[in-house]
Amino acid sequence: MKGATIPVTEPGAQAGRAAADIGAHPRQRRDRRAAFVFLAPFMLLLIVFQYVPLAVMARNSVLDYTLLNPSDWSFVGLRNFEDMIAYDDALTSFGATFLFAFGVVLLVVPLALALALFLNSKLPARGLVRAIVMLPVVTSAVVVATIWSFLLDPSNGLVNGALAGAGLPRQPFLTSVDQALPAIVAMMAWQQVGFGAILFLGGLQGVPAELSEAARIDGATRLQVLRNITIPLLTRTTLFVVVIMTVFSLQAFAPAFLMTMGGPQESTNLIVYHIYRTAFVMQQPGYASALSVVLLLIVLAISLAQMHLLRARWNY
Amino acid sequence: MARSPLARIAALSAILVIIAVVFLAPYAWIVSSSFKNQFTLFGDVSPLSWRAFVPIGGTLENYVSLIGRTNILRALMNTALVSAAQVALTLILCAMAAYALTRIRFPGANLVFVLILLTFLMPIEALMVPLYQVVSGLGLANTLTGVLIPWIASPFGLFLLRQAFEELPRELEDAARIDGAGHATIFLRIILPNMKVPLLTLGLVTFLFSWNSFLWPLVIVQTPDQQLIQVAIAQQGSPTQLPNWGETFAGATVATVPLIIVFLLLQRYFTQGMTMSGIKG
């Protein structure tokens, strides 16, 4: 079988040869030239704007310098990483970010599943409801953060207006150490729950209807079907939603930048905001790069798991 | 246990009302309030009345002062330009690369694929500091080109199109190949015309990404003339004065409405694209 019938056009056969082009079939030579022309612009930009920055980041993480005068740098070895351990800013920031991500996942997964189940049932104006829950997803993080900072305004916000109308005490929300992080978690969940629901809807399409119908005929209640058939069959989708929401949360920036400036008492100092402030405001891009390296490794680990899930997801 | 159809309808309606209130009320409030002066705006919220969601006694005052006082129109124009260019260039570059990876056999294809696959996993947020140095090193800081150029070689776009290109049967191009057509002809005459839906999907997701992007434009542009809409509305409240709520709401409305119109018109493709874009944030 192996290469017996068409050895000349087998791409692997020529791959290792040094002067491959000379002995190549004209067709192969043309293919190579075309492949180069079609790929060159993409690859060039990819290298300049992804691989070069990656290398620059690795280099910067062992340097001390300022963005105002980048050529004046000094080598500090692993001190930037040691500083992350010695001072508690990195720990606090990563801690707040993980809490944020954890809260978002905890809120989004059940709500999105419930929403998807609802949207999957016989419903008037289903398309309209879908569009409504997707609105926050397409709205920019800046606008969502702006809307929410006014919704949650302690004196004139809509939420406090509603609380007062219901005879409940007004809440400080973003200015309170206890409430600021939960408030931005709620905001993120509000924005992303429609996205989660769409992913779950896709997963529900893969659940064979005969299974639940058969169970229903055998006398299972709706809840039993949900618990014993639908949810187990949605495991893969659920994992996928968890991973996506985690990665989204780790990359959140606008809430901290626009609503809380990381406060009160660093309780919402999300890591991307901390990196931004360290590099561009405090002028310590070396230290910011070290923080970025750690963030990159964390997201990379999660993304690798995600790729793995994705492969499983797309193969059936 | 069986509930009466009436109870079912009542439960359904209750859920629908809750969904509508939770997701639409903030928008209704923002848009209505953008037409109100500060006094009416606050009066309608505390105590809360239904007037908060309806622009009664509407005025264009906020919009007029926003346009007069800030560079918001300029920022809108810049954003439209950047988004259009980014969509066009992303489609061209990704389609070409996807063609090479699905339709041409060449040595090194695996290496190229692995190189692309790796960048697919990198969060752009983590790269912003070195990217800033690279882009400003190329003399592209404070330019609209600098805003869009890092993103047009989009690994996500490539993957989306590659998936679609692979599903296109090879028989389509076989006849043309026998007739001696080259890769350029096959790409332009056969592949692209058959790939309108995936291209539209990628175009929309790119538009959404470009229109809504904030962190990168904030970092790379300092010149007011080159500012983009998300940065403009994030920064329009001056720190020295009390925020003018009506103006801020007008800004949010202006920045959001164009995208929402596009979304409502082309919802299906948007949803499709975003489900796939979940692959990369």
Side-chain angles (χ1 to χ4, degrees):
Chain A
M1 216 19 233
K2 193 183 161 233
T5 44
I6 40 160
V8 190
T9 50
E10 193 70 36
Q14 302 268 341
R17 250 189 239 171
D21 235 31
I22 297 167
H25 192 279
R27 167 75 191 278
Q28 275 185 323
R29 213 179 307 154
R30 226 173 341 136
D31 277 356
R32 273 172 213 172
R33 209 175 316 132
F36 180 80
V37 170
F38 275 88
L39 271 172
F42 188 96
M43 292 310 288
L44 182 72
L45 289 176
L46 194 77
I47 289 166
V48 172
F49 296 111
Q50 301 249 16
Y51 281 99
V52 172
L54 198 65
V56 171
M57 175 169 77
R59 188 198 67 137
N60 288 353
S61 68
V62 292
L63 301 182
D64 188 21
Y65 68 111
T66 69
L67 284 169
L68 301 174
N69 191 5
S71 52
D72 180 25
W73 52 267
S74 58
F75 178 78
V76 296
L78 291 179
R79 204 189 67 202
N80 287 325
F81 292 93
E82 287 159 17
D83 283 354
M84 286 172 57
I85 300 165
Y87 301 97
D88 50 9
D89 67 299
L91 199 67
T92 310
S93 179
F94 275 111
T97 313
F98 285 132
L99 261 180
F100 175 68
F102 183 67
V104 170
V105 167
L106 220 58
L107 266 185
V108 165
V109 170
L111 286 176
L113 177 62
L115 204 55
L117 288 168
F118 182 67
L119 287 171
N120 204 34
S121 60
K122 283 198 178 60
L123 204 67
R126 193 159 58 170
L128 186 69
V129 183
R130 257 171 84 141
I132 289 174
V133 299
M134 284 300 278
L135 272 186
V137 183
V138 296
T139 306
S140 76
V142 171
V143 170
V144 170
T146 307
I147 293 179
W148 274 70
S149 56
F150 286 101
L151 281 177
L152 298 175
D153 186 84
S155 40
N156 296 304
L158 196 68
V159 176
N160 269 321
L163 285 178
L168 295 166
R170 288 176 179 274
Q171 299 297 324
F173 296 120
L174 297 173
T175 51
S176 142
V177 181
D178 300 324
Q179 293 180 9
L181 191 71
I184 63 171
V185 164
M187 173 183 75
M188 184 80 171
W190 177 80
Q191 185 177 19
Q192 297 298 346
V193 73
F195 186 41
I198 296 292
L199 293 176
F200 271 122
L201 265 176
L204 280 173
Q205 250 116 65
V207 176
E210 309 89 63
L211 265 180
S212 49
E213 273 161 23
R216 290 284 285 162
I217 290 166
D218 290 347
T221 66
R222 263 174 223 277
L223 211 64
Q224 281 172 330
V225 170
L226 182 67
R227 218 178 57 195
N228 299 318
I229 296 175
T230 314
I231 290 180
L233 284 174
L234 285 176
T235 311
R236 231 185 249 163
T237 312
T238 311
L239 281 171
F240 188 63
V241 176
V242 168
V243 169
I244 297 247
M245 288 305 149
T246 311
V247 172
F248 277 12
S249 306
L250 294 183
Q251 297 173 357
F253 171 72
F257 181 85
L258 282 165
M259 300 167 76
T260 60
M261 298 179 79
Q265 289 174 36
E266 309 292 302
S267 61
T268 62
N269 193 15
L270 301 180
I271 187 65
V272 175
Y273 177 67
H274 187 49
I275 292 172
Y276 168 86
R277 202 166 47 172
T278 307
F280 296 102
V281 181
M282 272 125 69
Q283 286 291 319
Q284 294 172 335
Y287 185 59
S289 293
L291 290 168
S292 300
V293 168
V294 175
L295 173 63
L296 186 83
L297 290 177
I298 292 169
V299 177
L300 212 59
I302 297 172
S303 291
L304 279 172
Q306 176 188 10
M307 290 295 284
H308 189 70
L309 296 175
L310 198 74
R311 190 167 301 146
R313 203 174 103 93
W314 277 6
N315 268 358
Y316 68 92
Chain B
M1 268 302 280
R3 280 177 297 172
S4 72
L6 211 64
R8 196 180 128 76
I9 290 170
L12 265 183
S13 318
I15 297 174
L16 285 174
V17 167
I18 292 171
I19 290 176
V21 167
V22 167
F23 290 99
L24 288 182
Y27 289 96
W29 181 50
I30 295 292
V31 176
S32 326
S33 301
S34 73
F35 295 105
K36 292 175 185 172
N37 64 41
Q38 197 103 335
F39 181 72
T40 332
L41 196 162
F42 290 149
D44 291 341
V45 177
S46 46
L48 185 64
S49 90
W50 58 271
R51 286 165 172 272
F53 306 100
V54 188
I56 295 172
T59 150
L60 288 174
E61 206 177 286
N62 294 320
Y63 289 88
V64 173
S65 65
L66 182 75
I67 290 167
R69 195 176 60 78
T70 69
N71 60 348
I72 194 138
L73 282 188
R74 180 70 198 245
L76 263 181
M77 221 175 63
N78 287 340
T79 308
L81 263 175
V82 165
S83 298
Q86 191 171 343
V87 168
L89 291 168
T90 304
L91 288 183
I92 294 169
L93 255 66
C94 292
M96 285 171 62
Y99 178 83
L101 288 175
T102 56
R103 291 317 215 240
I104 308 178
R105 292 180 154 203
F106 62 97
N110 286 339
L111 176 72
V112 166
F113 190 66
V114 167
L115 274 178
I116 298 168
L117 200 73
L118 282 176
T119 62
F120 197 54
L121 307 173
M122 293 193 294
I124 56 172
E125 281 75 9
L127 282 182
M128 80 189 147
V129 184
L131 196 61
Y132 169 79
Q133 283 177 272
V134 169
V135 174
S136 58
L138 292 171
L140 294 173
N142 290 316
T143 68
L144 296 184
T145 312
V147 174
L148 66 95
I149 203 167
W151 319 116
I152 54 181
S154 154
F156 158 69
L158 176 63
F159 278 73
L160 193 147
L161 293 184
R162 186 176 153 269
Q163 185 100 347
F165 282 21
E166 253 168 13
E167 280 164 22
L168 198 68
R170 262 154 226 287
E171 288 77 41
L172 264 178
E173 62 207 74
D174 281 348
R177 188 158 286 150
I178 290 164
D179 289 347
H183 285 295
T185 314
I186 293 172
F187 176 65
L188 292 172
R189 296 275 172 80
I190 297 172
I191 306 283
L192 289 189
N194 277 297
M195 286 288 119
K196 283 180 188 141
V197 171
L199 289 171
L200 180 63
T201 303
L202 175 59
L204 281 169
V205 174
T206 307
F207 178 72
L208 172 82
F209 173 81
S210 181
W211 186 277
N212 283 347
S213 64
F214 171 52
L215 176 58
W216 178 246
L218 175 76
V219 166
I220 200 65
V221 171
Q222 265 87 46
T223 323
D225 274 359
Q226 307 298 318
Q227 207 171 45
L228 299 188
I229 187 69
Q230 304 300 338
V231 182
I233 58 163
Q235 295 185 334
Q236 61 103 354
S238 149
T240 52
Q241 65 186 48
L242 279 172
N244 182 333
W245 287 39
E247 255 185 42
T248 309
F249 291 172
T253 305
V254 166
T256 311
V257 165
L259 191 62
I260 292 204
I261 292 172
V262 174
F263 168 69
L264 291 177
L265 290 176
L266 299 163
Q267 218 201 112
R268 189 161 62 91
Y269 304 102
F270 246 124
T271 313
Q272 220 169 61
M274 271 184 296
T275 316
M276 296 183 78
S277 80
I279 303 160
K280 170 133 182 164

